[in-house]
Amino acid sequence: MNISSQNTLPASQSKESQSSYSTVHCVYTDLKHARFSVILDSQRGLQFVYWLELKKLGIRHLNADDELCARFIVKDKRTIERGLAVVSAVCFDKPADKPGVELHEAKRFDENGLKTLLAKGSPLIVFRGCRFDRVNLEALDVATTVAFFDCDFDDDFRLIACRFPNSLWFSNSRFHKHFSLKSSQIEDSIHMESCDFSGPGGVSFRGVQANNIYLDFGVVGCDDIVWLNEITVPGVVSVGGTFNNDIELIGNQDEETSLTRCTVGAVYMGHELYDSESANTTLINARFKCKDCDTQALAVANTTIKDCVISNSTMGSISFVDATIEKDLTLSDVAAGQPENTSLMLERSSVERHLKLFDNRLSGDLCLQNSTIGGNAYLEDNQFEGGQIQLNRLSAARLVFLPIHHIYQKKRYFPLSLTPRRFIVDEPTEPHKCAEVYCALKNWFSDSGQLDAEDDAYFYMRQRQPHHALTRLIFGYIFGWGVRLRNIAISSMVLIGLFVMIFKYYRPEMDLLVALALSVQSFTGNFFGKWPDYEPSGLVAGFAVLESIFGLVFITVFIGAYIRKLLR
């Protein structure tokens, strides 16, 4: 063990200061990349310590069987954090006596040998660098904390319906055939960091009850399936590594059990304990399937998945960040999100075929920004309950909303408004980015034949472009950018009414109906015609000519916009 001198306590340090320190014994250090160590604390409990915690105190490496006097605190858990944080440390000149651990190194065990050891009732049994033959144990109530570090399991290894009092450790172990903890109950966490399952068997956690399952930090998958079905994990399920097999998280695998839902606190894929490294980058060269699952979060980062299907689940949030889906990303019958939060996030990610969102209920925002969809995005029969859709810098061949009214806000719409109904689209603060969003919407609506929505998106695109305020007033609110007949009609009626008041102002003796008839006739360009009671002249005649010019412009724009709609 190497510790920098600046962290060594002076010999004169008082007993009061040292009383907050405790002596720990290193049971195991990750042999692949030295990313973590497992230490034995003063209560004979095994604790996970990440390499960064040691490096911050100048500890370059912690070997197995090294001892350390240190102050520890429980690490804050935001995502996949686990174990202890080291506050300060001091090394010993001489190692203390080894703690009371039953340690087995470089030995071979069969089923009976392992069963005998587990029945002894030792507080802690550690297997380090051992090999195991076929093991198939059922319904054992183990009173011992068991840890397998850097072990080889040459045949099937099954612990069925067993109970373990604390955490169960398999870090850096290799399984050459089938591995199963089916229906087992682990009072704390299951640690499978850096395990290798490459072989003809599968990996089954079906029906497992545990606080956390850590299947990450360079795990190598199997040739069959990783079953996380019917599990009850109030904490975290963390997945990281390379998997050439399907991963299933299903609430009811078949009719064998009465359990109908899978309950997990949060599911994380590819998340790092230290953001500046890629220790947990994940590759799933098969399908990830999640069905009948209740969880607070499904967070996928730095991960490539061949095909992803999520259905009939309830989730607090779903996020794909810096992720790649090589085929389709499908969500159906999913209830996700909370108001003012993000229900589904697809950010800086790529879906190489289609994004399919069917019959989902999203209570928060739908974020698709800075992402690429190689094919089409289908948003059909979804309920957006108060959230917005973020489309900034989204690239997709086509975006299809069915039914189309789901893309509009549910607020009451005033029929005589000069602006279309508002979309549930989050508008970026920069005008040019906002215009880009509506430009993309316009093109997607046009491709899918949703022409009325296309006109609305075109109107907002032109309104958000950096025009002068007068330009937006005349061409936008008055002429509706040539796509809103309603704006032109309303503006025409307002103009006719304005000239009625002008005529009445300059000729008070003129009857109101006569003024209205004169204004309409002037606007339509028929000039004066025959008037039995009044012959317009002077200033009124000038205003009538002026209104005829305005009318010519308005009628021309109206006819042009109407013909455009007919031709489409």
Side-chain angles (χ1 to χ4, degrees), residues 35-36 48-53 75-76 78-83 193 214 216-217 238 270-277 279-280:
R35 289 197 179 106
F36 61 89
F48 181 97
V49 178
Y50 200 57
W51 69 269
L52 186 63
E53 298 298 327
K75 196 169 181 63
D76 292 335
R78 295 178 293 107
T79 56
I80 65 169
E81 288 78 12
R82 68 204 73 164
E193 293 94 348
Y214 300 115
D216 54 8
F217 292 114
S238 177
H271 276 252
E272 302 289 347
L273 280 178
Y274 179 46
D275 291 337
S276 297
E277 65 182 4
N280 218 17

Side-chain angles (χ1 to χ4, degrees), residues 404-478:
I404 190 60
H405 68 263
H406 284 172
I407 191 64
Y408 291 97
Q409 294 183 3
K410 296 180 180 179
K411 296 179 180 179
R412 179 183 292 274
Y413 179 68
F414 182 56
L416 299 181
S417 174
L418 296 180
T419 59
R421 290 179 59 190
R422 300 296 299 271
F423 294 105
I424 55 171
V425 173
D426 181 62
E427 297 186 353
T429 55
E430 299 88 343
H432 67 282
K433 290 185 179 180
C434 187
E436 287 179 3
V437 169
Y438 284 113
C439 180
L441 270 179
K442 176 187 73 70
N443 294 332
W444 290 325
F445 290 145
S446 176
D447 292 340
S448 57
Q450 296 163 322
L451 303 182
D452 290 337
E454 178 199 355
D455 287 344
D456 295 341
Y458 177 81
F459 178 90
Y460 283 117
M461 178 193 75
R462 296 303 304 270
Q463 283 293 96
R464 297 301 185 267
Q465 289 174 341
H467 298 299
H468 192 274
L470 184 61
T471 302
R472 287 195 293 269
L473 171 63
I474 296 176
F475 294 98
Y477 293 111
I478 295 179

Side-chain angles (χ1 to χ4, degrees), residues 82-99:
R82 68 204 73 164
L84 300 177
V86 186
V87 178
S88 59
V90 57
C91 65
F92 290 125
D93 293 333
K94 295 181 180 180
D97 294 335
K98 284 189 176 182

Side-chain angles (χ1 to χ4, degrees), residues 228 235-239 249 264-269 271 288 290 293 295-300:
L228 292 165
V236 167
V237 173
S238 177
V239 177
L249 184 62
V264 182
V267 180
Y268 294 97
M269 290 186 176
H271 276 252
F288 170 66
C290 180
C293 180
T295 180
Q296 289 299 314
L298 171 62
V300 180

Side-chain angles (χ1 to χ4, degrees), residues 63 73 91 135 141 175 184 267 347 370 374 425 481 537 550:
N63 297 311
I73 59 173
C91 65
V135 174
D141 191 353
F175 300 86
S184 291
V267 180
E347 188 165 3
N370 300 310
V425 173
W481 292 110
S537 62
F550 285 139

Side-chain angles (χ1 to χ4, degrees), residues 37-109:
S37 297
V38 180
I39 63 174
L40 180 66
D41 61 21
S42 58
Q43 286 77 35
R44 293 188 178 182
L46 293 179
Q47 300 287 350
F48 181 97
V49 178
Y50 200 57
W51 69 269
L52 186 63
E53 298 298 327
L54 301 172
K55 180 178 179 297
K56 288 189 293 187
L57 296 177
I59 303 175
R60 294 184 292 275
H61 188 70
L62 194 62
N63 297 311
D65 297 325
D66 280 344
E67 290 192 338
L68 181 67
C69 182
R71 288 200 303 158
F72 298 92
I73 59 173
V74 177
K75 196 169 181 63
D76 292 335
K77 294 182 179 180
R78 295 178 293 107
T79 56
I80 65 169
E81 288 78 12
R82 68 204 73 164
L84 300 177
V86 186
V87 178
S88 59
V90 57
C91 65
F92 290 125
D93 293 333
K94 295 181 180 180
D97 294 335
K98 284 189 176 182
V101 177
E102 185 174 343
L103 176 64
H104 299 274
E105 288 190 276
K107 297 179 182 179
R108 192 174 192 95
F109 295 90

